[in-house]
C-alpha cells in the first residue's frame, strides 16, 4: 500500500473540521477530510438545525395557547406531526451537498469512510493510507451509553427527528438539554412526557434558580419531572415500554410508547485506535493542552465535541476549528476562551446563560452583586402575555463587570448575546444602564436587570 502525503488530515466533516479548513487552505496547505456519514456532522443533519424546526412549531403552539390573553378566540390546534417531520427534512436536505461544493471550492479532498490511526501521523481509510504533518480529531460526539438493563429499547434524538408518528407518551432517561428541548415540543404537541434525572437538579451545569424557573414552566405545561432517580431497568410490557425506577426510597414503574436516552453525549473517539496514534486518553477523553493539541502527540489536534473541556455546542466547534487551523499555520499561538460564550436551551420559552453561575462565583470567593428579576409583572412581559420572564445578572462588585447572566423567557436567547459581548469587551453594568435602547423592546429592559446605580 503506497502512502499519500497531505499537510493536514481531518477526521470528521462537521462544523469543527470545516472550521479548520479555512485557515489552512488560505495558507496553501493540502487537506484531506475523512467523513463516514453526511458532511456537516450532527448539528445540521440530526441536531440543532432540524431540532429548531420542531422548536419553531412549539413556539407557534405556545402563542396559540396565549391567544386568549389578547382576546383572540381560536380553536384547539392540531399538529400534523408527519408533515412537520417532512418539513424539517425538506429544510435540511441540501446541506450536505452545499457543504460538499464548499469543500470542493476550497480544494479540500473529501474521502468517504472511517479513518483510524496506524501511526503517530498516519491514518488508514479503506484501502488508502495517508501521512500528514498534522492530524485533526474532529469526530464529534454520540449519545452517552447508559448501563441500564434494557437500554437497547431506548431511542435517541436521531430517531426523534425522523419518526413521522407522534408518540402518545415519552419517558426521557436523563434531564439534560435533549430531554428538555424535545420534551417541550412533545408536551405542547399533546404527548404525555416524563423526565427522570439521576442528579438533584435538571441541567446540572446551569444556574440552579434558572433551572427551577424552567422546571416550573415545564411542569405547568404538563411535563412530570423526577430528580434523584435511579433507573433500574427498561422492559417491554403491554405493547409498550416500562421503566422501573427508584425515587425517594420507593420503587415505581412508568409506561410509555417511547423511552429516550436523554443523558447527553460523549466524544466519538473510541473507534480511532488512539494508542496507535500515540494519543493519550482516559475513558474516551483525549488529553489536550491549552492550544487544543494532544499532550502526548503535538502533531494531533482536537476540536469540536471531541474536546473534553468545552461545551458541546456548534458555534464553539467552529470557533475551536478556526483556532486549530490558525495554530497549524502559525504555530501554537492561540487558545480558546470560553468565558463569554453564550448558550441556550431551546425550550419554549428558552433558558439562556453566559458566564458564571451564582454558585460558581461564590465558590471562587468573588464579592458579587446578584440581581434577580421576576419580570412576569413588567409591562413588556404582560404585553406579550409571557408565561415566565426571569433573569439573574451577576456583577463583580470591585470592577462593576458582568460575570454571568441567566434568563428564562423574555427573549433571553437573544439578550444573552448582549451580555456575552459586554463580558468579552469589558462593558460594565453601569455602561449597560447608561445606554439608550429602542423602546418598547425586551432589550430596553436590560438596563433594569443589572440593578440601580
Amino acid at each position: 500500500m503506497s502512502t499519500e502525503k497531505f499537510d493536514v488530515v481531518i477526521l470528521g466533516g462537521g462544523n469543527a473540521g470545516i472550521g479548520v479548513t479555512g485557515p489552512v487552505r488560505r495558507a496553501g496547505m493540502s487537506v484531506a477530510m475523512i467523513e463516514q456519514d453526511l458532511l456537516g456532522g450532527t448539528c445540521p443533519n440530526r441536531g440543532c438545525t432540524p431540532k429548531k424546526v420542531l422548536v419553531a412549531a412549539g413556539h407557534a403552539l405556545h402563542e396559540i395557547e396565549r391567544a386568549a390573553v389578547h382576546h383572540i378566540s381560536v380553536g384547539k390546534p392540531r399538529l400534523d406531526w408527519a408533515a412537520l417531520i417532512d418539513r424539517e427534512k425538506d429544510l435540511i436536505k441540501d446541506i450536505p451537498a452545499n457543504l460538499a461544493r464548499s469543500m470542493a471550492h476550497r480544494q479540500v479532498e473529501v474521502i468517504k469512510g472511517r479513518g483510524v490511526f496506524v501511526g503517530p501521523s498516519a491514518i488508514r481509510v479503506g484501502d488508502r493510507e495517508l501521512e500528514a504533518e498534522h492530524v485533526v480529531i474532529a469526530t464529534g460526539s454520540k449519545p452517552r451509553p447508559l448501563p441500564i438493563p434494557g437500554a437497547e429499547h431506548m431511542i435517541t434524538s436521531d430517531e426523534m427527528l425522523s419518526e413521522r408518528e407522534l408518540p402518545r407518551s415519552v419517558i426521557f432517561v436523563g434531564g439534560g438539554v435533549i430531554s428538555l428541548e424535545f420534551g417541550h415540543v412533545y408536551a405542547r404537541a399533546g404527548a404525555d412526557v416524563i423526565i427522570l434525572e439521576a442528579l438533584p437538579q435538571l441541567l446540572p451545569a446551569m444556574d440552579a434558580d434558572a433551572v427551577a424557573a424552567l422546571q416550573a414552566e415545564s411542569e405547568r405545561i404538563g411535563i412530570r419531572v423526577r430528580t434523584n432517580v435511579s433507573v433500574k431497568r427498561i422492559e417491554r410490557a403491554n405493547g409498550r415500554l416500562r421503566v422501573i425506577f427508584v425515587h425517594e426510597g420507593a420503587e415505581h414503574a412508568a409506561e410509555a410508547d417511547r423511552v429516550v436516552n436523554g443523558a447527553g453525549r460523549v466524544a466519538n473517539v473510541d473507534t480511532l485506535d488512539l494508542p496507535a496514534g500515540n494519543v493519550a486518553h482516559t475513558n474516551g477523553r483525549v488529553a489536550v493542552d491549552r492550544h487544543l493539541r494532544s499532550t502526548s502527540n503535538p502533531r494531533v489536534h482536537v476540536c469540536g465535541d471531541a474536546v473534553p473541556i468545552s461545551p458541546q455546542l456548534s458555534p464553539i466547534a467552529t470557533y475551536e476549528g478556526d483556532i486549530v487551523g490558525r495554530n497549524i499555520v502559525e504555530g501554537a499561538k492561540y487558545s480558546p476562551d470560553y468565558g463569554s460564550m453564550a448558550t441556550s436551551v431551546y425550550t419554549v420559552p428558552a433558558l439562556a446563560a453566559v458566564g458564571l453561575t451564582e454558585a460558581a462565583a461564590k465558590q471562587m470567593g468573588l464579592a458579587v452583586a446578584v440581581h434577580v428579576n421576576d419580570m412576569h409583572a413588567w409591562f413588556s412581559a404582560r404585553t406579550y402575555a409571557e408565561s415566565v420572564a426571569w433573569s439573574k445578572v451577576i456583577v463583580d462588585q470591585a470592577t462593576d463587570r458582568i460575570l454571568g447572566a441567566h434568563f428564562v423567557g423574555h427573549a433571553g436567547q437573544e439578550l444573552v448575546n448582549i451580555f456575552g459581548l459586554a463580558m468579552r469587551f469589558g462593558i460594565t453594568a453601569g455602561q449597560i444602564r447608561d445606554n439608550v435602547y429602542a423602546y418598547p423592546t425586551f432589550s430596553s429592559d436590560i438596563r433594569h436587570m443589572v440593578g440601580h446605580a
Side-chain angles (χ1 to χ4, degrees):
M1 179 186 297
S2 62
T3 300
E4 304 172 60
K5 294 188 180 297
F6 290 87
D7 293 316
V8 183
V9 170
I10 302 170
L11 299 170
N15 285 345
I18 290 170
V20 175
T21 65
V24 296
R25 282 301 302 134
R26 285 193 294 272
M29 291 182 164
S30 58
V31 181
M33 173 181 285
I34 301 171
E35 172 57 57
Q36 64 178 345
D37 199 353
L38 298 173
L39 279 179
T42 298
C43 178
N45 295 303
R46 52 188 182 278
C48 40
T49 303
K51 172 194 68 186
K52 284 299 291 289
V53 179
L54 274 59
V55 171
H59 271 286
L61 290 169
H62 177 66
E63 293 299 325
I64 292 169
E65 176 208 339
R66 310 302 291 170
V69 181
H70 304 288
H71 303 285
I72 301 170
S73 298
V74 295
K76 182 178 174 65
R78 187 185 70 83
L79 174 61
D80 186 334
W81 188 263
L84 176 62
I85 295 298
D86 289 345
R87 177 174 188 260
E88 168 231 312
K89 297 299 183 189
D90 183 64
L91 286 172
I92 67 172
K93 69 179 188 303
D94 295 327
I95 291 175
N98 291 339
L99 291 173
R101 282 192 290 272
S102 176
M103 292 300 96
H105 178 73
R106 291 185 184 180
Q107 297 181 309
V108 172
E109 182 175 349
V110 177
I111 303 170
K112 184 80 168 179
R114 182 169 65 88
V116 296
F117 282 95
V118 291
S121 58
I123 300 294
R124 179 177 294 138
V125 52
D127 59 359
R128 299 173 65 177
E129 186 168 313
L130 315 180
E131 181 79 23
E133 290 296 317
H134 301 272
V135 177
V136 179
I137 298 174
T139 45
S141 61
K142 61 182 181 179
R144 182 187 303 276
L146 292 174
I148 300 170
E152 68 275 7
H153 299 309
M154 290 191 292
I155 63 172
T156 69
S157 54
D158 289 3
E159 289 84 8
M160 287 190 287
L161 288 166
S162 298
E163 289 192 341
R164 300 181 74 253
E165 182 177 351
L166 176 69
R168 292 169 298 171
S169 53
V170 183
I171 297 172
F172 290 91
V173 178
V177 173
I178 289 171
S179 300
L180 269 298
E181 291 179 340
F182 281 96
H184 269 237
V185 174
Y186 277 141
R188 293 184 184 282
D192 182 65
V193 177
I194 299 174
I195 298 176
L196 305 176
E197 169 56 47
L199 296 176
Q201 175 186 308
L202 300 175
L203 302 167
M206 296 291 190
D207 185 88
D209 292 334
V211 173
L214 178 60
Q215 181 171 331
E217 176 67 4
S218 302
E219 292 171 338
R220 184 190 73 80
I221 65 172
I223 296 175
R224 286 176 284 167
V225 176
R226 300 290 181 268
T227 55
N228 285 312
V229 163
S230 174
V231 175
K232 296 302 181 183
R233 66 185 183 275
I234 302 166
E235 58 193 22
R236 294 198 177 278
N238 308 317
R240 307 174 80 203
L241 293 171
R242 177 184 294 146
V243 179
I244 310 298
F245 62 95
V246 174
H247 180 241
E248 296 181 343
E251 187 169 278
H252 302 266
E255 293 185 3
D257 295 332
R258 294 286 183 271
V259 178
V260 180
N261 181 346
R265 299 174 70 85
V266 296
N268 184 25
V269 297
D270 55 321
T271 63
L272 299 180
D273 197 355
L274 297 174
N278 189 29
V279 178
H281 63 286
T282 304
N283 297 326
R285 297 166 62 89
V286 176
V288 296
D289 66 13
R290 65 190 185 93
H291 302 296
L292 302 179
R293 300 177 304 176
S294 163
T295 57
S296 57
N297 182 357
R299 297 174 72 171
V300 173
H301 310 256
V302 189
C303 52
D305 285 4
V307 175
I309 58 172
S310 62
Q312 294 176 332
L313 299 171
S314 173
I316 289 180
T318 302
Y319 167 71
E320 290 172 342
D322 182 71
I323 286 174
V324 164
R326 286 187 287 152
N327 282 339
I328 288 172
V329 173
E330 302 177 41
K333 293 171 57 177
Y334 303 101
S335 300
D337 178 3
Y338 306 110
S340 60
M341 292 192 179
T343 182
S344 291
V345 180
Y346 293 105
T347 45
V348 183
L351 183 155
V354 64
L356 298 177
T357 64
E358 180 181 355
K362 290 180 176 177
Q363 271 186 344
M364 295 168 66
L366 299 172
V368 296
V370 180
H371 306 286
V372 178
N373 299 283
D374 181 352
M375 301 176 286
H376 192 258
W378 291 16
F379 183 80
S380 51
R382 291 168 58 204
T383 299
Y384 285 90
E386 286 194 280
S387 54
V388 58
W390 181 94
S391 72
K392 176 189 284 188
V393 181
I394 301 157
V395 180
D396 187 322
Q397 289 183 328
T399 64
D400 200 37
R401 292 186 60 165
I402 307 296
L403 298 178
H406 309 269
F407 305 87
V408 180
H410 216 64
Q413 70 273 27
E414 303 293 342
L415 301 188
V416 72
N417 294 299
I418 297 175
F419 284 88
L421 195 72
M423 291 173 64
R424 182 177 180 188
F425 294 104
I427 300 170
T428 66
Q431 289 170 323
I432 289 174
R433 278 193 300 270
D434 290 343
N435 193 47
V436 178
Y437 303 86
Y439 178 87
T441 61
F442 287 154
S443 296
S444 66
D445 286 338
I446 70 172
R447 63 195 304 266
H448 305 295
M449 296 179 192
V450 295
H452 302 289

